[in-house]
Short mmCIF file of all heavy atoms in Angstrom, two decimals:
data_model
loop_
_atom_site.label_atom_id
_atom_site.label_comp_id
_atom_site.label_asym_id
_atom_site.label_seq_id
_atom_site.Cartn_x
_atom_site.Cartn_y
_atom_site.Cartn_z
N VAL T 626 -17.37 -42.92 -34.45
CA VAL T 626 -16.28 -42.32 -33.66
C VAL T 626 -16.13 -40.85 -34.00
O VAL T 626 -15.96 -40.00 -33.11
CB VAL T 626 -14.96 -43.09 -33.90
CG1 VAL T 626 -13.77 -42.35 -33.30
CG2 VAL T 626 -15.06 -44.50 -33.32
N TYR T 627 -16.21 -40.51 -35.28
CA TYR T 627 -16.07 -39.12 -35.71
C TYR T 627 -17.16 -38.24 -35.11
O TYR T 627 -16.89 -37.11 -34.69
CB TYR T 627 -16.10 -39.00 -37.23
CG TYR T 627 -14.85 -39.49 -37.93
CD1 TYR T 627 -13.77 -40.00 -37.23
CD2 TYR T 627 -14.76 -39.45 -39.30
CE1 TYR T 627 -12.64 -40.45 -37.87
CE2 TYR T 627 -13.63 -39.90 -39.97
CZ TYR T 627 -12.57 -40.40 -39.24
OH TYR T 627 -11.45 -40.84 -39.89
N VAL T 628 -18.38 -38.72 -35.08
CA VAL T 628 -19.49 -37.94 -34.52
C VAL T 628 -19.24 -37.67 -33.04
O VAL T 628 -19.54 -36.58 -32.54
CB VAL T 628 -20.83 -38.67 -34.74
CG1 VAL T 628 -21.94 -38.09 -33.89
CG2 VAL T 628 -21.22 -38.62 -36.21
N ALA T 629 -18.66 -38.63 -32.35
CA ALA T 629 -18.43 -38.46 -30.91
C ALA T 629 -17.19 -37.62 -30.61
O ALA T 629 -17.19 -36.84 -29.66
CB ALA T 629 -18.28 -39.83 -30.25
N VAL T 630 -16.14 -37.73 -31.42
CA VAL T 630 -14.84 -37.15 -31.07
C VAL T 630 -14.55 -35.84 -31.81
O VAL T 630 -13.97 -34.92 -31.23
CB VAL T 630 -13.73 -38.18 -31.35
CG1 VAL T 630 -12.36 -37.59 -31.17
CG2 VAL T 630 -13.91 -39.40 -30.47
N LEU T 631 -14.94 -35.75 -33.07
CA LEU T 631 -14.51 -34.61 -33.89
C LEU T 631 -14.96 -33.23 -33.40
O LEU T 631 -14.17 -32.29 -33.48
CB LEU T 631 -14.93 -34.81 -35.34
CG LEU T 631 -13.97 -35.62 -36.18
CD1 LEU T 631 -14.44 -35.69 -37.62
CD2 LEU T 631 -12.57 -35.07 -36.12
N PRO T 632 -16.18 -33.03 -32.94
CA PRO T 632 -16.55 -31.68 -32.52
C PRO T 632 -15.61 -31.10 -31.46
O PRO T 632 -15.17 -29.96 -31.58
CB PRO T 632 -17.98 -31.84 -32.00
CG PRO T 632 -18.52 -33.00 -32.74
CD PRO T 632 -17.34 -33.94 -32.90
N ALA T 633 -15.29 -31.87 -30.45
CA ALA T 633 -14.40 -31.39 -29.40
C ALA T 633 -12.99 -31.18 -29.92
O ALA T 633 -12.33 -30.18 -29.60
CB ALA T 633 -14.39 -32.36 -28.23
N LEU T 634 -12.51 -32.10 -30.76
CA LEU T 634 -11.16 -31.99 -31.31
C LEU T 634 -11.04 -30.77 -32.22
O LEU T 634 -10.06 -30.01 -32.13
CB LEU T 634 -10.82 -33.26 -32.09
CG LEU T 634 -9.43 -33.31 -32.71
CD1 LEU T 634 -8.36 -33.31 -31.63
CD2 LEU T 634 -9.30 -34.52 -33.61
N LEU T 635 -12.01 -30.55 -33.07
CA LEU T 635 -11.96 -29.41 -33.98
C LEU T 635 -12.08 -28.08 -33.22
O LEU T 635 -11.46 -27.10 -33.60
CB LEU T 635 -13.04 -29.53 -35.05
CG LEU T 635 -12.91 -30.72 -36.01
CD1 LEU T 635 -14.05 -30.72 -37.01
CD2 LEU T 635 -11.57 -30.72 -36.70
N ASP T 636 -12.87 -28.06 -32.16
CA ASP T 636 -12.98 -26.85 -31.35
C ASP T 636 -11.64 -26.49 -30.71
O ASP T 636 -11.26 -25.32 -30.63
CB ASP T 636 -14.03 -27.01 -30.26
CG ASP T 636 -15.45 -26.84 -30.78
OD1 ASP T 636 -15.61 -26.30 -31.89
OD2 ASP T 636 -16.38 -27.25 -30.06
N ARG T 637 -10.92 -27.50 -30.25
CA ARG T 637 -9.62 -27.25 -29.63
C ARG T 637 -8.57 -26.79 -30.63
O ARG T 637 -7.68 -26.03 -30.28
CB ARG T 637 -9.12 -28.52 -28.95
CG ARG T 637 -9.80 -28.81 -27.66
CD ARG T 637 -9.10 -29.90 -26.90
NE ARG T 637 -10.01 -30.42 -25.90
CZ ARG T 637 -10.14 -31.69 -25.60
NH1 ARG T 637 -9.41 -32.58 -26.20
NH2 ARG T 637 -11.00 -32.06 -24.68
N LEU T 638 -8.65 -27.28 -31.86
CA LEU T 638 -7.60 -27.01 -32.84
C LEU T 638 -7.97 -25.94 -33.86
O LEU T 638 -7.25 -25.75 -34.83
CB LEU T 638 -7.22 -28.30 -33.56
CG LEU T 638 -6.59 -29.37 -32.67
CD1 LEU T 638 -6.41 -30.66 -33.44
CD2 LEU T 638 -5.28 -28.88 -32.11
N VAL T 639 -9.06 -25.23 -33.66
CA VAL T 639 -9.49 -24.23 -34.62
C VAL T 639 -8.49 -23.08 -34.75
O VAL T 639 -8.37 -22.45 -35.80
CB VAL T 639 -10.91 -23.72 -34.30
CG1 VAL T 639 -10.91 -22.76 -33.13
CG2 VAL T 639 -11.56 -23.11 -35.52
N GLY T 640 -7.69 -22.84 -33.72
CA GLY T 640 -6.71 -21.77 -33.77
C GLY T 640 -5.33 -22.22 -34.20
O GLY T 640 -4.39 -21.43 -34.19
N ALA T 641 -5.19 -23.47 -34.59
CA ALA T 641 -3.88 -24.00 -34.98
C ALA T 641 -3.45 -23.41 -36.32
O ALA T 641 -4.25 -22.81 -37.06
CB ALA T 641 -3.94 -25.52 -35.07
N ALA T 642 -2.19 -23.62 -36.64
CA ALA T 642 -1.66 -23.15 -37.93
C ALA T 642 -2.35 -23.89 -39.07
O ALA T 642 -2.80 -25.04 -38.91
CB ALA T 642 -0.16 -23.39 -37.98
N PHE T 643 -2.42 -23.24 -40.22
CA PHE T 643 -3.14 -23.82 -41.37
C PHE T 643 -2.54 -25.16 -41.79
O PHE T 643 -3.27 -26.09 -42.13
CB PHE T 643 -3.14 -22.83 -42.54
CG PHE T 643 -3.98 -23.28 -43.69
CD1 PHE T 643 -5.35 -23.34 -43.58
CD2 PHE T 643 -3.39 -23.67 -44.88
CE1 PHE T 643 -6.14 -23.77 -44.63
CE2 PHE T 643 -4.16 -24.10 -45.94
CZ PHE T 643 -5.55 -24.14 -45.82
N PHE T 644 -1.22 -25.27 -41.76
CA PHE T 644 -0.57 -26.53 -42.15
C PHE T 644 -0.99 -27.66 -41.21
O PHE T 644 -1.24 -28.79 -41.67
CB PHE T 644 0.95 -26.36 -42.15
CG PHE T 644 1.68 -27.59 -42.60
CD1 PHE T 644 1.67 -27.96 -43.93
CD2 PHE T 644 2.34 -28.39 -41.68
CE1 PHE T 644 2.33 -29.11 -44.35
CE2 PHE T 644 3.00 -29.53 -42.09
CZ PHE T 644 3.00 -29.88 -43.43
N ILE T 645 -1.08 -27.39 -39.92
CA ILE T 645 -1.53 -28.40 -38.95
C ILE T 645 -2.97 -28.80 -39.25
O ILE T 645 -3.33 -29.98 -39.16
CB ILE T 645 -1.39 -27.86 -37.51
CG1 ILE T 645 0.06 -27.50 -37.20
CG2 ILE T 645 -1.95 -28.85 -36.50
CD1 ILE T 645 1.02 -28.66 -37.29
N LYS T 646 -3.80 -27.84 -39.62
CA LYS T 646 -5.19 -28.14 -39.96
C LYS T 646 -5.27 -29.03 -41.20
O LYS T 646 -6.10 -29.93 -41.28
CB LYS T 646 -5.98 -26.85 -40.20
CG LYS T 646 -6.21 -26.04 -38.97
CD LYS T 646 -6.96 -24.78 -39.34
CE LYS T 646 -7.16 -23.86 -38.19
NZ LYS T 646 -7.89 -22.65 -38.57
N LEU T 647 -4.40 -28.79 -42.17
CA LEU T 647 -4.37 -29.63 -43.37
C LEU T 647 -3.96 -31.06 -43.03
O LEU T 647 -4.56 -32.02 -43.53
CB LEU T 647 -3.42 -29.05 -44.41
CG LEU T 647 -3.86 -27.77 -45.10
CD1 LEU T 647 -2.76 -27.29 -46.06
CD2 LEU T 647 -5.16 -27.97 -45.84
N ILE T 648 -2.94 -31.20 -42.20
CA ILE T 648 -2.49 -32.52 -41.79
C ILE T 648 -3.60 -33.25 -41.03
O ILE T 648 -3.87 -34.43 -41.28
CB ILE T 648 -1.21 -32.42 -40.93
CG1 ILE T 648 -0.06 -31.82 -41.74
CG2 ILE T 648 -0.82 -33.78 -40.36
CD1 ILE T 648 0.34 -32.62 -42.95
N LEU T 649 -4.25 -32.57 -40.10
CA LEU T 649 -5.35 -33.18 -39.34
C LEU T 649 -6.50 -33.57 -40.27
O LEU T 649 -7.08 -34.65 -40.11
CB LEU T 649 -5.84 -32.24 -38.25
CG LEU T 649 -6.98 -32.79 -37.40
CD1 LEU T 649 -6.52 -34.01 -36.63
CD2 LEU T 649 -7.52 -31.74 -36.47
N SER T 650 -6.80 -32.73 -41.23
CA SER T 650 -7.85 -33.07 -42.20
C SER T 650 -7.50 -34.34 -42.96
O SER T 650 -8.36 -35.20 -43.17
CB SER T 650 -8.05 -31.92 -43.19
OG SER T 650 -8.48 -30.76 -42.53
N ALA T 651 -6.24 -34.47 -43.35
CA ALA T 651 -5.81 -35.67 -44.06
C ALA T 651 -5.90 -36.90 -43.16
O ALA T 651 -6.35 -37.97 -43.60
CB ALA T 651 -4.39 -35.49 -44.58
N VAL T 652 -5.49 -36.76 -41.91
CA VAL T 652 -5.54 -37.89 -40.97
C VAL T 652 -6.98 -38.33 -40.72
O VAL T 652 -7.26 -39.52 -40.57
CB VAL T 652 -4.82 -37.51 -39.65
CG1 VAL T 652 -5.11 -38.51 -38.55
CG2 VAL T 652 -3.33 -37.38 -39.89
N VAL T 653 -7.89 -37.38 -40.68
CA VAL T 653 -9.29 -37.69 -40.41
C VAL T 653 -9.99 -38.24 -41.66
O VAL T 653 -10.74 -39.23 -41.58
CB VAL T 653 -10.03 -36.44 -39.88
CG1 VAL T 653 -11.53 -36.65 -39.88
CG2 VAL T 653 -9.54 -36.10 -38.50
N LEU T 654 -9.76 -37.64 -42.82
CA LEU T 654 -10.52 -38.00 -44.02
C LEU T 654 -9.94 -39.17 -44.81
O LEU T 654 -10.69 -39.90 -45.46
CB LEU T 654 -10.66 -36.79 -44.93
CG LEU T 654 -11.52 -35.65 -44.40
CD1 LEU T 654 -11.47 -34.46 -45.33
CD2 LEU T 654 -12.95 -36.11 -44.20
N ALA T 655 -8.64 -39.35 -44.80
CA ALA T 655 -8.03 -40.38 -45.64
C ALA T 655 -8.48 -41.81 -45.29
O ALA T 655 -8.82 -42.57 -46.19
CB ALA T 655 -6.51 -40.27 -45.60
N PRO T 656 -8.52 -42.21 -44.01
CA PRO T 656 -8.99 -43.58 -43.73
C PRO T 656 -10.44 -43.81 -44.17
O PRO T 656 -10.78 -44.87 -44.70
CB PRO T 656 -8.86 -43.70 -42.22
CG PRO T 656 -7.90 -42.66 -41.81
CD PRO T 656 -8.06 -41.54 -42.79
N LEU T 657 -11.27 -42.80 -43.97
CA LEU T 657 -12.67 -42.93 -44.38
C LEU T 657 -12.78 -43.02 -45.90
O LEU T 657 -13.51 -43.87 -46.43
CB LEU T 657 -13.46 -41.73 -43.85
CG LEU T 657 -14.97 -41.82 -43.88
CD1 LEU T 657 -15.45 -43.01 -43.08
CD2 LEU T 657 -15.57 -40.54 -43.34
#
């Protein structure tokens, strides 16, 4: 799922605030 979804998601959110990026990183990496 990550291989299919993450590139597009990360491209869209690359300009987000740093705190949002940290939260997204936690949401993506913690279950794995």
